[in-house]
Amino acid sequence: MSAPEEMDVVLEKLPLRIGAYVPDDLLEDWFAPGTGMNPVSPAALAAAKTYGWRFECEFKHYPERMEGVFWKWVPAI
């Protein structure tokens, strides 16, 4: 399984400084199914980071919130 096409559209159109939050269970299902969710596998986190870069998004995982966030960074002014 991979991220749905709708997520591709979300990340393509994501405005600067706005995040797209994805819960751990979906991160695992989309990016490394079958590797376990508690905690999210390193393979899923690495794949999510790579996926984000396809859309010029950064990715960070927050284990305490059990979710990951994709966002577009703001270039230095």
Side-chain angles (χ1 to χ4, degrees):
M1 184 178 210
S2 62
E5 290 180 21
E6 292 86 355
M7 191 64 182
D8 294 357
V9 173
V10 167
L11 295 185
E12 284 173 0
K13 297 182 181 278
L14 194 66
L16 295 177
R17 301 176 56 208
I18 303 296
Y21 297 78
V22 181
D24 281 358
D25 61 323
L26 290 179
L27 288 173
E28 200 66 47
D29 286 348
W30 291 353
F31 300 113
T35 60
M37 191 201 90
N38 197 7
V40 175
S41 71
L45 298 176
K49 184 176 183 176
T50 299
Y51 172 76
W53 279 119
R54 286 181 34 206
F55 303 97
E56 298 178 345
C57 289
E58 297 205 30
F59 173 78
K60 179 165 173 120
H61 182 250
Y62 294 91
E64 68 280 2
R65 296 187 339 214
M66 297 180 68
E67 67 185 3
V69 182
F70 294 95
W71 77 95
K72 292 199 176 163
W73 57 277
V74 179
I77 296 176

